Amino acid sequence: MPKIEFEPIGIFKSCYLDKFGTPRQAGLVKESEGLLIIHPKFQPELSLIGLEGFSHLWVLFYFHANGDHKFHAKIHPPRLEGKTMGLFSTRSPHRPNPIGLSLLKIKGISDAGIQVSGIDLIDKTPVLDIKPYLPSLEALPDAKEGWLSELNSRSLTVTWETEKPQDLQLLDLIENTIKQDPRPQIYRESRADGQAYRDSHAIRIHHFDVHFRILPNDEASIFKINSI
Amino acid sequence: MPKIEFEPIGIFKSCYLDKFGTPRQAGLVKESEGLLIIHPKFQPELSLIGLEGFSHLWVLFYFHANGDHKFHAKIHPPRLEGKTMGLFSTRSPHRPNPIGLSLLKIKGISDAGIQVSGIDLIDKTPVLDIKPYLPSLEALPDAKEGWLSELNSRSLTVTWETEKPQDLQLLDLIENTIKQDPRPQIYRESRADGQAYRDSHAIRIHHFDVHFRILPNDEASIFKINSI
């Protein structure tokens, strides 16, 4: 089949600087924020008119941080603890066409761009398209969500070994991001000697490295915050 | 910004053979049907495993029937009766990256493909990606839908001057498709002499041409059905 070429319409500035720690879906961490900047050639001063009346928008983007991956028809979704699933019944970024689809909340629109929250995009993500969300057609609360409905909604309990940030929004952002358990499956497993595969982890949020370790009973303990 | 290249993962077989008559959004005509065929190289026998548990899926596709269009930052949405709106606050197919996003109902999955309904895709549409719909994150009935909330939900009344099809599903499909008023803005206007711009119209559904004319008081009268 013939290839189709697209050019990004803009770029995403995210509070998440790395893949590790970025939420796996939009809407999971309400405090997360980003700025969507439309390229001047697409005349945002005109092309965004009317968007301010919508509360949410779809962002279609390119999974630019995927690395080099071959096509796998079946994959191991992080929440399935080792079981496999057909790729197209998941939202995995490793798809034949690595296009992401995220429903984000619109916080404000200005000359700088579209301020959004509840994000799952990494900093510098190329944006392919944005579309208004249409609740009258796209809000189907009774839709069936297959294998996802059988999962336990397990989340980590976050505790602090170091001083908490004074900024309460930053505090919530850090805690709610770590609560999602950012570890890939491999880091959730134990080595042959029963020790954790890796003792500690760090995620980059805004200009901080946040270091934490996983303790028994699904506890995540934050022990250090550095400015980058 | 560097271009990004995608290759279709499959093709869509639709009951709508032409752009004219194809509903403007997914979910508007429940009786409409199509078959989404995944290319064998993407191993549908494996990559679709698990999808049968979902009731709805997102289809990301290429607007292949757009014709030649220049970028316009403001457009005339069909339902705004001549008023303009910023392109990115609409779902117009004429976008910098002509990627469509449709939420379709899954009717069944077989070796032939994914049978879906409530479609707004034209026959032979190249499909870029499919993703399961996640109601727990994507069903937001209270979201605000901007300028769309101020529109009158005007639809046509459909009457028959010719014999109705015996097949009741086909009958509903035809009536509900025409009810949406497929005419572009230009055909809704009158000429200087007060006559309709065009007297009659025809849409192609399955292997039929369905001819109708618009009468006063938003009535659409079907006067002929031909097999193609």
Side-chain angles (χ1 to χ4, degrees):
Chain A
M1 287 190 263
K3 304 222 169 178
I4 301 168
E5 213 177 51
F6 295 118
E7 179 191 356
I9 60 161
I11 195 104
F12 196 81
K13 285 185 65 154
S14 174
C15 64
Y16 297 112
L17 304 190
D18 276 346
K19 201 163 146 179
F20 184 69
T22 302
R24 294 195 177 88
Q25 296 300 327
L28 290 176
V29 180
K30 310 282 179 212
E31 299 79 10
S32 61
E33 286 191 343
L35 184 70
L36 201 160
I37 303 166
I38 302 290
H39 194 284
K41 81 184 256 194
F42 299 112
Q43 298 171 264
E45 69 284 3
L46 296 176
S47 57
L48 298 182
I49 288 174
L51 194 64
E52 69 286 349
F54 293 83
S55 57
H56 292 76
L57 91 167
W58 291 111
V59 179
L60 283 73
F61 60 95
Y62 179 56
F63 283 115
H64 72 299
N66 260 358
D68 202 17
H69 274 267
K70 277 166 75 175
F71 171 72
H72 293 287
K74 293 188 80 183
I75 60 151
H76 298 263
R79 289 196 280 165
L80 264 185
E81 295 170 5
K83 278 185 261 178
T84 61
M85 196 50 69
L87 173 64
F88 292 125
S89 68
T90 78
R91 300 286 283 253
S92 165
H94 305 297
R95 326 179 68 78
N97 294 314
I99 307 176
L101 173 67
S102 293
L103 181 56
L104 306 185
K105 186 165 189 203
I106 301 175
K107 303 290 281 187
I109 303 174
S110 70
D111 290 348
I114 308 168
Q115 192 75 36
V116 288
S117 67
I119 68 169
D120 62 344
L121 287 83
I122 309 175
D123 197 44
K124 302 196 174 83
T125 294
V127 173
L128 297 173
D129 196 10
I130 59 172
K131 298 178 192 286
Y133 175 67
L134 309 180
S136 56
L137 294 168
E138 296 174 336
L140 306 177
D142 299 327
K144 281 195 272 178
E145 58 181 356
W147 60 271
L148 288 163
S149 59
E150 289 149 34
L151 298 181
N152 300 321
S153 58
R154 197 179 62 82
S155 66
L156 302 177
T157 308
V158 178
T159 55
W160 292 80
E161 296 172 41
T162 184
E163 206 181 332
K164 293 183 186 184
Q166 306 258 319
D167 178 339
L168 288 184
Q169 206 194 331
L170 177 63
L171 178 72
D172 285 344
L173 172 59
I174 291 172
E175 289 194 351
N176 290 331
T177 298
I178 294 179
K179 258 185 200 167
Q180 306 294 324
D181 195 352
R183 293 174 302 161
Q185 187 57 33
I186 182 75
Y187 289 160
R188 297 182 194 192
E189 288 160 9
S190 301
R191 292 187 316 227
D193 61 2
Q195 292 297 301
Y197 208 95
R198 203 187 153 128
D199 289 328
S200 70
H201 310 271
I203 58 176
R204 299 204 139 173
I205 297 185
H206 289 304
H207 53 283
F208 299 104
D209 274 340
V210 182
H211 299 260
F212 63 98
R213 57 184 133 237
I214 305 291
L215 304 176
N217 300 320
D218 287 340
E219 183 181 335
S221 180
I222 298 169
F223 63 88
K224 194 166 64 178
I225 298 188
N226 301 102
S227 268
I228 300 173
Chain B
M1 288 191 263
K3 303 220 170 178
I4 301 168
E5 215 176 49
F6 296 119
E7 178 191 356
I9 60 161
I11 194 104
F12 196 80
K13 286 185 65 153
S14 174
C15 64
Y16 297 111
L17 305 190
D18 276 347
K19 200 163 146 181
F20 184 70
T22 302
R24 295 196 175 87
Q25 296 300 327
L28 289 176
V29 180
K30 310 281 180 212
E31 298 80 8
S32 61
E33 286 190 344
L35 184 70
L36 201 160
I37 303 166
I38 303 290
H39 194 283
K41 81 184 257 195
F42 299 113
Q43 298 172 264
E45 70 284 4
L46 296 176
S47 56
L48 298 182
I49 288 175
L51 195 63
E52 69 285 351
F54 293 83
S55 57
H56 292 76
L57 91 168
W58 291 110
V59 178
L60 283 74
F61 59 94
Y62 179 56
F63 284 115
H64 72 299
N66 261 359
D68 202 18
H69 273 268
K70 278 166 72 176
F71 171 72
H72 293 287
K74 293 187 81 183
I75 60 152
H76 298 263
R79 289 196 280 165
L80 264 185
E81 294 168 8
K83 278 184 262 178
T84 61
M85 197 49 69
L87 172 64
F88 292 126
S89 68
T90 78
R91 299 286 283 252
S92 165
H94 304 298
R95 328 179 66 78
N97 294 315
I99 306 175
L101 173 67
S102 294
L103 181 56
L104 306 185
K105 186 164 188 205
I106 301 175
K107 303 291 280 186
I109 302 173
S110 71
D111 290 348
I114 309 168
Q115 192 75 35
V116 288
S117 67
I119 69 169
D120 62 344
L121 286 82
I122 309 175
D123 197 45
K124 302 195 173 86
T125 294
V127 173
L128 297 173
D129 197 10
I130 58 171
K131 299 177 192 286
Y133 176 67
L134 309 179
S136 55
L137 294 168
E138 296 173 337
L140 305 177
D142 299 328
K144 281 194 271 176
E145 58 181 357
W147 60 271
L148 289 163
S149 60
E150 290 149 35
L151 297 182
N152 301 322
S153 58
R154 198 180 61 81
S155 65
L156 302 178
T157 308
V158 178
T159 55
W160 292 79
E161 296 171 42
T162 184
E163 206 181 333
K164 293 182 186 183
Q166 306 258 318
D167 178 339
L168 289 183
Q169 207 194 331
L170 177 63
L171 177 71
D172 285 345
L173 172 60
I174 291 172
E175 290 195 349
N176 290 331
T177 299
I178 293 179
K179 257 185 200 167
Q180 305 295 324
D181 195 351
R183 294 175 301 161
Q185 187 57 35
I186 183 76
Y187 289 160
R188 297 183 194 192
E189 288 161 9
S190 301
R191 293 187 315 229
D193 61 4
Q195 292 297 300
Y197 208 95
R198 201 188 154 129
D199 289 327
S200 69
H201 311 271
I203 57 175
R204 299 204 139 173
I205 296 186
H206 289 304
H207 52 283
F208 299 103
D209 274 340
V210 182
H211 299 260
F212 62 98
R213 57 184 132 238
I214 305 290
L215 303 176
N217 298 320
D218 287 340
E219 184 182 334
S221 180
I222 298 170
F223 63 90
K224 193 167 64 175
I225 297 188
N226 300 103
S227 267
I228 300 172

